[in-house]
Amino acid sequence: MNYEDPNANVALPIFSIHGNHDDPAGEANLSAMDILAQAGLVNYFGKHGLGGGGAGRVDLKPVLMRKGLTKLALYGLGYIRDNRLHQMFSVKGCVRWHRPAETSDCASSSWFNVMLIHQNRAAHSKNAISDRYLPEWLDYVVWGHEHECLIEPTEVPGGFHISQPGSSVVTSLIEGEAKEKKICVLEVKADPENPNGAPYWRTTAIPLKSTRPFEFEQIALASIGELEATDQKGLSTYLENRVNAMISRAHK
C-alpha cells in the first residue's frame, strides 16, 4: 500500500480497479494502472491473469482494512470481456470468493463487504453480467462501466445494495447522460455495543458542479398537431425554438 511507504506522503489513499479502456494486455499483461501504481499514486487491485485455454479462474481475495472497531473487506474485479466472465460465472468453481477468517476476536459478520466491478450491467447483450452472480453476503456493490448516474443505493433481491456512479463527464449522446452527475461518500462505522454485528453505513450524494451541460430531448414531429409535413419553414422554426429552449435550460 502506498500509504505504508515511509518515503511517500499520502493524504488520501486511492484504491482502484481497471476498466475496459485500460485493461491489461500484451505479453506482460500490463495496464496503464500498473504505471500509476508503480509511481505510488494509486493502489491497483482486482487484476487477474487469465492465460491459457478454457474459461479460466478468478480468486477474489479482499483488501482488508481496519480502523478501531470498524472493519472493511474490499473486493475488486477489473474488466474482463463479458462473454468470458459470463462463462466463468456459469461454470462452478471458476469464480472463487475468499472471506475473512472467523477468529475468536473477530467474527466474519463484523466485516463490511464492498465489491468494485466494471462490467456491462444492463442487458445490452445476452452476456451482460447480472447481479444474481454476486454472493448474498456482500453489503455494498459499486458498479462501474455504465454511463448513467444511479448513485443512490438500490437493494437487489440478493440482499445487498448497488450504487452506479456513472461517468463523471458526458461521454455519449444518450438520454441517460443528461441526468445530473454525482459522486457518493460512503461512511461505515461499527456498532460499539455489538462489535461482532453488521456495521452501520450511510451514503451522501454530492452533485458535480463543473461537468459540461448536456440536454437531451426526443421529438416526434408527426405527433405535433399544429405542424404540416409540407411546411418546411414551420418545421424549421419549431425545431429551432425547441433547441433554443434546451440551450436556455442548460445555461440555468
Side-chain angles (χ1 to χ4, degrees):
M1 305 304 172
N2 59 356
Y3 57 86
E4 293 182 341
D5 184 347
N7 301 310
N9 185 13
V10 179
L12 182 65
I14 296 174
F15 290 80
S16 179
I17 62 176
H18 64 260
N20 58 310
H21 291 292
D22 54 358
D23 54 323
E27 184 178 351
N29 198 38
L30 291 177
S31 163
M33 293 296 300
D34 285 296
I35 308 301
L36 297 177
Q38 285 297 315
L41 299 176
V42 301
N43 299 293
Y44 175 32
F45 74 116
K47 177 180 177 181
H48 304 277
L50 298 175
R57 195 178 79 179
V58 165
D59 282 286
L60 288 166
K61 300 178 181 180
V63 176
L64 301 181
M65 306 179 194
R66 187 169 186 168
K67 185 175 182 181
L69 297 175
T70 305
K71 299 180 285 295
L72 186 143
L74 182 64
Y75 294 83
L77 181 60
Y79 177 79
I80 300 173
R81 290 197 314 273
D82 283 339
N83 55 348
R84 185 163 193 180
L85 185 59
H86 187 276
Q87 183 182 4
M88 292 168 65
F89 274 120
S90 301
V91 178
K92 186 176 181 180
C94 285
V95 179
R96 300 198 305 179
W97 299 80
H98 299 260
R99 300 189 66 182
E102 184 89 22
T103 63
S104 57
D105 64 338
C106 182
S108 295
S109 58
S110 64
W111 290 88
F112 189 77
N113 301 290
V114 179
M115 173 71 179
L116 307 185
I117 186 171
H118 190 104
Q119 300 289 152
N120 277 312
R121 179 186 177 192
H124 299 306
S125 69
K126 65 178 181 180
N127 291 322
I129 305 305
S130 171
D131 52 62
R132 61 184 175 86
Y133 289 138
L134 305 180
E136 295 181 357
W137 47 261
L138 286 174
D139 297 297
Y140 195 87
V141 176
V142 182
W143 204 295
H145 186 64
E146 297 292 344
H147 292 186
E148 184 177 0
C149 181
L150 301 173
I151 199 75
E152 296 295 340
T154 56
E155 188 173 4
V156 299
F160 50 84
H161 288 75
I162 294 180
S163 174
Q164 181 179 299
S167 56
S168 57
V169 297
V170 177
T171 55
S172 56
L173 305 182
I174 59 175
E175 187 173 6
E177 293 271 31
K179 295 183 177 181
E180 186 178 28
K181 301 292 187 182
K182 299 178 183 179
I183 60 172
C184 186
V185 173
L186 168 66
E187 298 174 88
V188 182
K189 185 177 182 180
D191 181 358
E193 297 182 0
N194 183 23
N196 286 328
Y200 297 124
W201 64 276
R202 69 181 179 186
T203 59
T204 305
I206 302 175
L208 299 178
K209 299 297 186 181
S210 59
T211 55
R212 180 177 60 182
F214 173 58
E215 292 287 334
F216 183 97
E217 191 171 317
Q218 191 165 344
I219 301 171
L221 292 174
S223 64
I224 309 300
E226 64 268 23
L227 294 178
E228 296 290 340
T230 57
D231 183 8
Q232 294 297 318
K233 185 177 180 179
L235 292 173
S236 297
T237 301
Y238 176 82
L239 291 174
E240 185 176 343
N241 291 336
R242 294 293 288 265
V243 170
N244 286 329
M246 295 171 68
I247 293 174
S248 297
R249 290 202 303 269
H251 277 302
K252 291 180 182 179

